[in-house]
Amino acid sequence: EKIDFDRAKNQYLGLFRSWCLCYRMILDILPSGVKAETIKAEWLTTYLRAFRFHIRRATACAVIDSFGDENVKSAASDVGAAHDLGAQLDQSKLDSVVDSLCQRLFELRFTTSSDGNALSSTFYHLCSRHVEILSLHSTILRWHGSKDGGISDSSGNSVSSVSSTSSSCTEGSTLSQDSEAPPVPGGLQFAFIDVQSVLRSNQASLYISCEESILSFAEGYMEMKESGNLLVSDATTDSLSSIHGISKQFQDFALHFFRNNDDDSRSSGIQPSKSCAIEDCLAKLYDSHLRSVHIEAMKTTGTLLRHEPWQLSPIELNSGSRTADPTLRTYEAVADLLNSYIHRESPSREDMKGIEERSKMKGFGNREFRLGLKETEIQRVEKCADLKDLAGLQCDAFKTILESFVELKPCGQQSISLLTSSATSLVKWIGRLLMIARALPLLECDASSAMMTLFDLYVLTVFRYCAGNQVNEDVILFGRDTADYSPAGVSFSVEADTVSPTPSERRQLVKTQQFLEQSRKRISAMVNLDKFQSSSDGCPTSPRSKNVTIRSAMRLEREVAACCSCLFVSMLADVARSTLCGGALSKEPLWDDLKDLKSTLSMENRDGREQSLREYVCGLTAATPHLLTLSVRLAAAEVSFSKQVVFEVLCVRSFEEHVIQEQSNTYVFNLCERSAIIWGYLSSSMCLPPPILVFTWDQIVRVAFLILIEAFSKVSKCTTEGRSLMSMDLATLSHGLMPDTIMEEISDDYGHINPPPNACRTEMMMHVDTFVK
């Protein structure tokens, strides 16, 4: 109901004059100077007590208001109970009773309701009521600045006045019908009393009371929801985004409230433009939401990875793209996939209402106060225009391997098969974290950290899945441990020893090594990667059975698919970084210690060296091609039973004898036979697209020659005739890996497949031949 301010002004000034005169007569025995100061102090106490009473009951009134919002779902029984408690609140004059009713309403609103809009609605009404209270205070000060705002004494002075407001004024109820203030008896004389200035100097205290009410509301909600049950829901992000906007409105209103009293606010220690009390308190609430989403994302992704079938799905490249660069077109497809999720999951929300609407409806001025309402929206990644500053476009190794996997279908459509079910789920969580980062700017740095741990989880899990254990990982990246390496025997890490890069090649892996070490450290307290390691998948170690080779080929197929999906994850990280416009903010994150997923994350002991998302993506992009290649080689070494081959070579005594052997050793024929069976299965299953199948075969051939180098290097004594026999075995291997020989070997079992490519057979034969000679 709109207030008649002319009548309210007259009533108010009349009440104040009466109170002032009565109090003057009570203090008649005091000197005039002491009397004036006593009147000011007593009136200030009465004024602030009345205002603080209504500030105290504002939370309860806000909860009741939220039950009337159309966008908040409430049970009919809860609405009735809220109205009953509201009736009791209207009759309450004691602070203790108001506090009790407020607690009951708080529990009624947030204990049973699962609607995320209830929180933002209540917060909106709470801030609106505080704006109304502060507006009333400003209006009263303006009244005392007018001609009618003083009391004249016989000396011609005026007694400046200010008043307490009753409950009916604050709530907008009907005012008294007295339209004129009672006259002042002319015989009363006392000194000038500047009550207006003393109340103006204490308006900072009123603002602090409102601010404390908001802080108490937020803290009370967090205590009630400390288990985090409602902090993971999809609607929570939108609700907290609304709260963030409302809090910014309240801080803007505080600037308006103190505009004409800058000196007083500074002297009281209040700087609304820089005040962080509300922001810091709400940051804890935002942090709880992000932490809950992050934990749920880690758990869900880890579970999917443990049960992942590793089947690749294609990503169709847009034929209408403005660029012919296949790498950029692939990035566009990834960006479209991420945007489609964000567009699908982003809730549609009505325009945010200003918190001054309630006070305007009551008739309060605030004409100079204008709110800049901006709807928070997630930035969409638009095609080529915003996809130029990508790490993948600057990394030649990444571009080369990505473009080699692009497939041209008979219809002319290009596609690339990199998607797995776990990767698709990862898009969902990354999209959700992006929405949180955009909706709650305070969390952008922490959301970036959460995304990094999700990418780490995926990439390190795939690496461990292919390597089998951390020892193999360290061997192929950091080299052999000379203390454990046996140059004359078969080591437990012989597969990793076989594909381990040479010292000169390892110099190119420095960035990959750094990335792996940082990623391990980042999630070491969150994830136990040993749960993902498995060396044989239950297969017998004997390679003599054809079924065993096929089962090993099936595992190789899954491992190759897992490795290739890391390319998609790397591009997803790059696009996410682009969406956040440069990665992590320069501010300190709200949390960074992820040691205990079930407890709050520490906000202390930070060293200020957090890795930005931009740096992370550059490291991931540079590391992915190397991790992909080395992981596939290691998987190929396992499926080729390199350990068995090395053992058989060490058992050949002909290398030590001075006898010329006319036929190659058996291990070479077995190795060629297994390679042919592997090609036959991989080609016939059609689970791997042709470009990835060609890449896999190239690594299988390369590994076959590397196995010979590893085996020959362990022969402690070799005669000239023995070296001749090694050359013969090498020639037999090279011939056995020729496309025609492979097809002849498997023609009976796989008669309708294409022959394998020549791959790197000639190159690797020359490499091994140089070693033998």
Side-chain angles (χ1 to χ4, degrees), residues 103-135:
Q103 182 63 29
R104 292 171 62 184
L105 284 165
F106 206 89
E107 294 175 354
L108 179 66
R109 173 76 281 179
F110 299 113
T111 301
T112 59
S113 174
S114 59
D115 189 350
N117 291 330
L119 177 61
S120 57
S121 174
T122 306
F123 189 80
Y124 167 79
H125 288 293
L126 176 61
C127 291
S128 295
R129 285 183 171 272
H130 288 324
V131 167
E132 181 185 0
I133 291 172
L134 295 176
S135 298

Side-chain angles (χ1 to χ4, degrees), residues 29-40:
I29 60 175
L30 296 176
S32 59
V34 176
K35 187 186 310 178
E37 293 301 321
T38 303
I39 289 176
K40 286 194 292 183

Side-chain angles (χ1 to χ4, degrees), residues 274-288:
K274 299 181 180 179
S275 177
C276 297
I278 296 177
E279 187 176 272
D280 290 346
C281 181
L282 292 178
K284 298 178 183 178
L285 182 61
Y286 305 154
D287 171 55
S288 297

Side-chain angles (χ1 to χ4, degrees), residues 104-314:
R104 292 171 62 184
L105 284 165
F106 206 89
E107 294 175 354
L108 179 66
R109 173 76 281 179
F110 299 113
T111 301
T112 59
S113 174
S114 59
D115 189 350
N117 291 330
L119 177 61
S120 57
S121 174
T122 306
F123 189 80
Y124 167 79
H125 288 293
L126 176 61
C127 291
S128 295
R129 285 183 171 272
H130 288 324
V131 167
E132 181 185 0
I133 291 172
L134 295 176
S135 298
L136 178 59
H137 170 76
S138 299
T139 300
I140 291 174
L141 290 181
R142 286 198 299 272
W143 285 349
H144 289 291
S146 66
K147 182 179 179 180
D148 298 331
I151 302 175
S152 300
D153 61 18
S154 60
S155 303
N157 295 325
S158 65
V159 181
S160 184
S161 52
V162 73
S163 166
S164 166
T165 180
S166 63
S167 172
S168 60
C169 286
T170 305
E171 298 300 323
S173 57
T174 306
L175 298 172
S176 171
Q177 299 298 318
D178 297 334
S179 59
E180 295 183 359
V184 181
L188 294 177
Q189 299 181 16
F190 49 92
F192 175 77
I193 305 175
D194 188 8
V195 181
Q196 182 185 26
S197 63
V198 75
L199 288 179
R200 183 181 295 278
S201 65
N202 280 273
Q203 68 179 356
S205 176
L206 276 181
Y207 174 79
I208 290 176
S209 297
C210 293
E211 190 177 67
E212 290 175 346
S213 172
I214 295 174
L215 297 178
S216 177
F217 170 80
E219 291 168 355
Y221 179 82
M222 285 188 288
E223 289 178 2
M224 182 174 294
K225 300 300 180 185
E226 60 182 358
S227 60
N229 292 333
L230 297 183
L231 295 177
V232 191
S233 62
D234 291 335
T236 306
T237 301
D238 185 55
S239 179
L240 294 181
S241 177
S242 297
I243 289 176
H244 176 70
I246 293 168
S247 67
K248 291 298 183 184
Q249 289 187 46
F250 188 77
Q251 292 177 36
D252 290 343
F253 180 82
L255 290 175
H256 169 75
F257 181 68
F258 285 103
R259 176 175 299 171
N260 298 323
N261 199 35
D262 291 339
D263 293 337
D264 291 332
S265 63
R266 282 196 294 267
S267 64
S268 302
I270 303 299
Q271 298 181 6
S273 61
K274 299 181 180 179
S275 177
C276 297
I278 296 177
E279 187 176 272
D280 290 346
C281 181
L282 292 178
K284 298 178 183 178
L285 182 61
Y286 305 154
D287 171 55
S288 297
H289 172 54
L290 175 60
R291 186 170 57 250
S292 299
V293 172
H294 182 205
I295 292 172
E296 188 67 22
M298 293 291 287
K299 290 180 178 179
T300 302
T301 304
T303 301
L304 287 174
L305 286 170
R306 290 191 66 182
H307 301 90
E308 175 65 63
W310 299 116
Q311 297 291 328
L312 293 177
S313 301

Side-chain angles (χ1 to χ4, degrees), residues 322-353:
R322 294 173 293 175
T323 178
D325 186 352
T327 301
L328 187 54
R329 293 180 64 187
T330 305
Y331 268 103
E332 290 178 2
V334 174
D336 289 341
L337 184 63
L338 180 61
N339 280 330
S340 65
Y341 169 79
I342 294 174
H343 180 72
R344 181 172 64 252
E345 295 296 326
S346 298
S348 57
R349 185 174 66 190
E350 297 180 358
D351 291 339
M352 186 187 302
K353 295 185 296 184

